[in-house]
Amino acid sequence: EVVTEDPETAFCTLASREDLNLEESSIHHCLYQFTRNEKLSETNKLLCDVCTQRHCGPKKNLKSEKKYIYTNAKKQMLISFAPPILTLHLKRFQQAGFNLRKVNRHIKFPEVLDLAPFCSVKCKNVVEGSTKVLYSLYGVVEHSGTMRSGHYTAYAKMRNINSHLSELVLRGESTQGESEPVKGQWFHISDTHVQAVPAAKVLSAQAYLLFYERLL
């Protein structure tokens, strides 16, 4: 379904993107690139039904006459609904000729992530007037090895119940929560081996999957 939006707010976000730390090897840079404003021009022009009808008239058989009007446009993907649980899947492979090669580069990710710069100004499930949509890290999946073989391990935080998260899941309502990461102890899990680790060890992992729970 095509929805006509106010051009003044169609590409606006809940918080400014200008102050973001866009270090290349960071989750902020990944999210910024995924939600960047793209220009559609030349061979990527958009087929405009309104322009076509204006040019050919509404009573003409457009399919038979093939008089379509294409126009330059802007495209941007923004988050329209802030989920209770945020799962980020990092692309850990790249094309190398006819083969796929694993990407082993470390991507920096924070314990508390603000999703507001990547959310539409009309984002649902956000308190009106809020300029922050905060998430606390509680799980990381890491892969060691190559594209052909390897081993998956995980980091998980044992923590207290997040009452704000419970309200979001059960009622779908957003209340004012905490802005600090949920307190708890991190554990590294590899098959049957479980070991307590500091947060610094978790943040140095080569993350493949990141799991965040909603704070604000």
Side-chain angles (χ1 to χ4, degrees):
E1 181 182 357
V2 177
V3 179
T4 302
E5 296 282 354
D6 182 352
E8 295 297 325
T9 61
F11 297 93
C12 292
T13 52
L14 284 176
S16 173
R17 297 159 68 91
E18 296 180 359
D19 299 328
L20 286 172
N21 178 14
L22 296 178
E23 187 176 352
E24 185 174 352
S25 298
S26 70
I27 201 69
H28 286 104
H29 184 262
C30 294
L31 288 169
Y32 184 87
Q33 289 293 99
F34 187 77
T35 60
R36 73 186 188 278
N37 194 319
E38 301 177 58
K39 292 182 179 180
L40 304 179
S41 59
E42 298 180 354
T43 57
N44 290 322
K45 283 185 177 182
L46 185 71
L47 172 59
C48 179
D49 291 333
V50 175
C51 301
T52 300
Q53 289 186 10
R54 186 180 300 154
H55 178 77
C56 302
K59 295 183 180 180
K60 290 188 178 291
N61 188 338
L62 300 181
K63 291 185 178 180
S64 62
E65 296 193 7
K66 297 183 179 180
K67 292 183 178 179
Y68 300 110
I69 304 299
Y70 293 83
T71 183
N72 293 331
K74 290 194 298 183
K75 169 190 171 185
Q76 187 174 27
M77 296 180 65
L78 294 173
I79 297 168
S80 62
F81 183 89
I85 299 296
L86 175 68
T87 304
L88 299 177
H89 183 184
L90 279 68
K91 182 181 176 182
R92 281 290 181 184
F93 65 90
Q94 63 183 9
Q95 192 77 30
F98 294 101
N99 300 314
L100 293 177
R101 178 182 302 167
K102 185 184 174 185
V103 177
N104 291 308
R105 181 171 55 179
H106 174 67
I107 302 297
K108 292 183 179 179
F109 53 93
E111 276 197 89
V112 175
L113 175 66
D114 186 2
L115 209 61
F118 316 107
C119 291
S120 165
V121 72
K122 295 182 180 179
C123 186
K124 303 173 184 177
N125 209 20
V126 175
V127 175
E128 186 176 354
S130 177
T131 57
K132 288 185 178 295
V133 182
L134 301 182
Y135 286 82
S136 178
L137 183 72
Y138 74 90
V140 179
V141 173
E142 185 178 37
H143 178 268
S144 58
T146 65
M147 292 291 295
R148 293 181 177 272
S149 64
H151 180 58
Y152 289 97
T153 59
Y155 294 91
K157 180 188 275 191
M158 188 175 70
R159 60 213 187 279
N160 295 327
I161 295 176
N162 183 340
S163 58
H164 176 62
L165 182 64
S166 300
E167 291 294 317
L168 281 169
V169 173
L170 296 175
R171 302 184 183 180
E173 298 176 356
S174 178
T175 58
Q176 199 69 16
E178 299 293 329
S179 59
E180 297 295 325
V182 177
K183 294 181 180 180
Q185 174 62 56
W186 282 100
F187 289 91
H188 182 229
I189 305 159
S190 178
D191 293 335
T192 59
H193 181 69
V194 180
Q195 180 184 12
V197 293
K201 173 70 173 176
V202 179
L203 297 178
S204 66
Q206 288 189 14
Y208 177 59
L209 290 168
L210 296 169
F211 299 89
Y212 286 86
E213 59 184 316
R214 180 89 173 270
L215 290 176
L216 285 179

